[in-house]
Amino acid sequence: MAGEVKSLAKDTVIYGLSSIVGRFLNWLLVPLYTAKLATGQYGIVTNVYAYVALLLIILTYGMETGFFRFINHEKCKDPMTVYSTSLISLAATSTAFIILLFIFLTPISRALDCADHPSYIAMMGVAVAADAFMAIPFSYLRYQKRPMRFAMLRCVNIGLNIGLNLLFFFVLYDPSLGVGYIFFANLISSLLMLPLLLPQLTGFKYRLDPKLLKEMLVYSLPLLVLGIAGIMNQNLDKILYPYLVADKAVAMSQLGIYGACCKVALVVMMFTQAFRFAYEPFIFAQNRRKGGDKLDAYSSAMKYFVVFGLVIFLTVMFYMDILRHFIAPAYWNGLQCVPVVMIADLFFGVFFNLSLWYKLTDRTIWGTWFSLIGLAITIALNIILVPRIGYMGCAWAAFACYGVMMVTSYFVGRAKHPLRYPVKRILAYFLFAMILYVAGSAIDTGSAWLDMAARTPLLLIYIAAVVRFEHIPLPHK
């Protein structure tokens, strides 16, 4: 058993790092985009990629999870039938999507405020269809326990995308084609993955089992609801924004500013993702143990997640005078949304930690209910707030959405499967961090460097308080 857990941890690191590093490297393209593109152009990018995230969930329709469920089922006699059935299903739906997209390209482009550039929508549509289809070959690599090939292919895809972006924006750049370069780079990097995946797409007989497909769809489609609700909570504000602001040009400009500033706040989400890859195997491994010490492990994991998340928050906010150069000056007036978005992302991370109660008890339907509650809040508050306060309405909607999901999950979990979280201590750390944040924000010497120097002791005070009260041993010779 110890060897299996060790192998799981090793694979998790490889899968997790390839995803996190990829997200981080793509994140580093944001300074390039904001330097080269006007706010309205980056608004188009933000809007289109919000639709891409949603479409990717729809076009995979929970089939990845269904694939793992049925290929590992005790009744599975022929794994390749499960694999080929999944491939044929996704190939058919992805092809149908591309055909429908080109048939209705003009009205779709007009609806997405890209009437003058339908090629943007065409390129991203083909790219997302290809990515949806390739989800199954990548899942098959995971089934085969080939994390190194999985990571290598992911890194090649990321490298191609980044390399093409650098080529287009630094060598071949034409301002009239600005946004198109991003979508074209994405399209090429996605399509070039298909020949690299040929070993996973050849060498076996394709067979569609209608009965099996029906069973897989019955199993997978409910997961689609959860996936849509989850991704909409993250991206619906960027989809709705152009429809909630009367002037389309102003809407796209503001959306570009908001999208770029959200990238500054993304550091908390990347921390949450890194934590997630390590945490899910950890909790299921802990659950096999007996005794109360595993409950203490859950409690400590939650506490330290919040502590480190707040250290990241204070670091970003105290040194914003440096970090704001991550985006172009034309986007700086949107930085006011960063603290709100970062705390919203922290709430989401806490919600993820709290989700272990329904995962461990096989009551995952509660995850769907919490996500749907959050989606209702997201829709309502965006409609109410955006026309009044612009993109700050999006930020506060995210704050409320994840805050309510977090609190609701905590209280329902306490009734269904109580776990001993140190709530008072966590709240104390949170309130202390907020007091220090307000104190740091009040510092204004007229010099950015003096301001940051004066805020540094506040950050050190917070870290020292955590070390003191958590009895964390300091390194010594």
Side-chain angles (χ1 to χ4, degrees):
M1 178 63 71
E4 291 179 2
V5 173
K6 184 177 180 181
S7 176
L8 175 63
K10 178 183 175 182
D11 290 355
T12 298
V13 169
I14 297 172
Y15 291 130
L17 281 178
S18 65
S19 177
I20 294 162
V21 170
R23 192 166 186 173
F24 175 73
L25 292 175
N26 282 319
W27 181 65
L28 293 178
L29 288 172
V30 176
L32 173 63
Y33 295 157
T34 59
K36 293 287 188 178
L37 302 176
T39 55
Q41 290 179 303
Y42 194 69
I44 294 173
V45 176
T46 302
N47 183 242
V48 170
Y49 273 106
Y51 280 102
V52 165
L54 174 61
L55 282 171
L56 195 56
I57 296 295
I58 294 173
L59 291 176
T60 52
Y61 44 90
M63 204 52 132
E64 290 173 279
T65 305
F67 165 78
F68 282 114
R69 173 70 177 84
F70 282 85
I71 203 168
N72 289 297
H73 198 282
E74 58 185 12
K75 295 181 180 179
C76 177
K77 297 179 180 179
D78 183 8
M80 297 312 295
T81 297
V82 178
Y83 180 49
S84 61
T85 296
S86 304
L87 281 174
I88 293 170
S89 178
L90 281 181
T93 51
S94 292
T95 301
F97 170 75
I98 292 173
I99 293 171
L100 290 172
L101 174 67
F102 278 92
I103 291 174
F104 298 103
L105 184 59
T106 298
I108 292 173
S109 301
R110 191 180 300 118
L112 296 180
D113 203 35
C114 290
D116 295 334
H117 301 282
S119 59
Y120 296 171
I121 307 304
M123 286 189 288
M124 290 311 301
V126 174
V128 75
D131 289 342
F133 169 73
M134 289 186 289
I136 294 300
F138 275 110
S139 295
Y140 186 59
L141 285 172
R142 293 165 62 191
Y143 166 73
Q144 291 181 306
K145 296 184 179 179
R146 300 179 63 186
M148 293 304 296
R149 177 162 173 78
F150 177 97
M152 183 272 290
L153 289 173
R154 289 293 192 195
C155 290
V156 168
N157 177 255
I158 294 159
L160 283 170
N161 188 46
I162 292 174
L164 288 169
N165 271 278
L166 295 177
L167 173 66
F168 293 152
F169 279 95
F170 282 117
V171 180
L172 305 175
Y173 188 68
D174 178 350
S176 65
L177 302 175
V179 173
Y181 286 130
I182 298 175
F183 300 144
F184 189 45
N186 197 324
L187 174 65
I188 294 175
S189 58
S190 291
L191 293 181
L192 286 178
M193 291 307 296
L194 288 170
L196 295 178
L197 282 167
L198 277 178
Q200 281 67 54
L201 298 172
T202 57
F204 60 92
K205 184 178 180 180
Y206 278 80
R207 182 186 170 209
L208 177 65
D209 185 332
K211 182 181 177 182
L212 173 63
L213 177 60
K214 181 179 178 181
E215 292 175 352
M216 294 181 74
L217 291 175
V218 169
Y219 176 85
S220 300
L221 288 178
L223 300 175
L224 175 61
V225 178
L226 177 58
I228 290 176
I231 205 68
M232 290 286 272
N233 283 333
Q234 298 177 32
N235 293 284
L236 185 63
D237 51 355
K238 302 170 187 68
I239 292 174
L240 288 178
Y241 203 91
Y243 303 101
L244 298 175
V245 177
D247 189 315
K248 291 292 184 182
V250 171
M252 282 302 179
S253 179
Q254 292 178 347
L255 182 58
I257 292 171
Y258 176 64
C261 291
C262 282
K263 296 295 186 181
V264 177
L266 193 65
V267 62
V268 171
M269 188 60 75
M270 286 194 288
F271 166 65
T272 300
Q273 185 177 3
F275 184 86
R276 178 175 183 171
F277 277 108
Y279 188 58
E280 282 191 324
F282 166 78
I283 64 170
F284 287 108
Q286 288 291 323
N287 196 48
R288 289 193 292 267
R289 297 172 55 186
K290 296 181 179 180
D293 56 340
K294 69 179 181 181
L295 301 181
D296 294 335
Y298 299 151
S299 172
S300 295
M302 171 69 83
K303 178 174 61 181
Y304 287 116
F305 173 82
V306 175
V307 165
F308 285 113
L310 289 169
V311 168
I312 293 171
F313 171 80
L314 290 175
T315 301
V316 171
M317 298 316 303
F318 286 172
Y319 302 105
M320 184 58 74
D321 289 320
I322 292 176
L323 295 177
R324 66 180 179 177
H325 292 283
F326 179 75
I327 56 178
Y331 296 79
W332 287 358
N333 62 332
L335 291 172
Q336 58 184 314
C337 75
V338 171
V340 181
V341 173
M342 290 188 75
I343 294 298
D345 288 343
L346 184 66
F347 286 168
F348 175 77
V350 174
F351 168 73
F352 169 77
N353 278 263
L354 291 169
S355 70
L356 71 88
W357 74 262
Y358 58 76
K359 291 177 180 177
L360 295 178
T361 58
D362 294 329
R363 289 182 276 189
T364 51
I365 186 63
W366 282 102
T368 303
W369 293 123
F370 297 142
S371 295
L372 290 174
I373 290 171
L375 180 58
I377 293 170
T378 299
I379 294 172
L381 289 184
N382 271 279
I383 292 173
I384 293 169
L385 296 178
V386 168
R388 292 170 172 80
I389 56 176
Y391 48 72
M392 284 304 298
C394 300
W396 285 113
F399 180 94
C401 164
Y402 293 132
V404 170
M405 288 171 62
M406 172 185 69
V407 172
T408 305
S409 181
Y410 170 73
F411 282 107
V412 174
R414 193 168 69 168
K416 299 288 185 180
H417 188 71
L419 296 171
R420 299 189 303 268
Y421 293 115
V423 176
K424 291 183 179 179
R425 179 159 291 196
I426 289 173
L427 285 175
Y429 285 140
F430 181 81
L431 292 174
F432 186 42
M434 293 304 102
I435 291 170
L436 293 175
Y437 163 62
V438 172
S441 300
I443 296 174
D444 185 5
T445 64
S447 167
W449 292 104
L450 288 178
D451 289 347
M452 289 187 289
R455 292 169 189 149
T456 299
L458 299 178
L459 177 61
L460 295 177
I461 287 171
Y462 180 78
I463 295 173
V466 171
V467 170
R468 168 69 177 80
F469 287 106
E470 296 304 320
H471 306 289
I472 299 173
L474 296 175
H476 58 277
K477 295 182 180 180

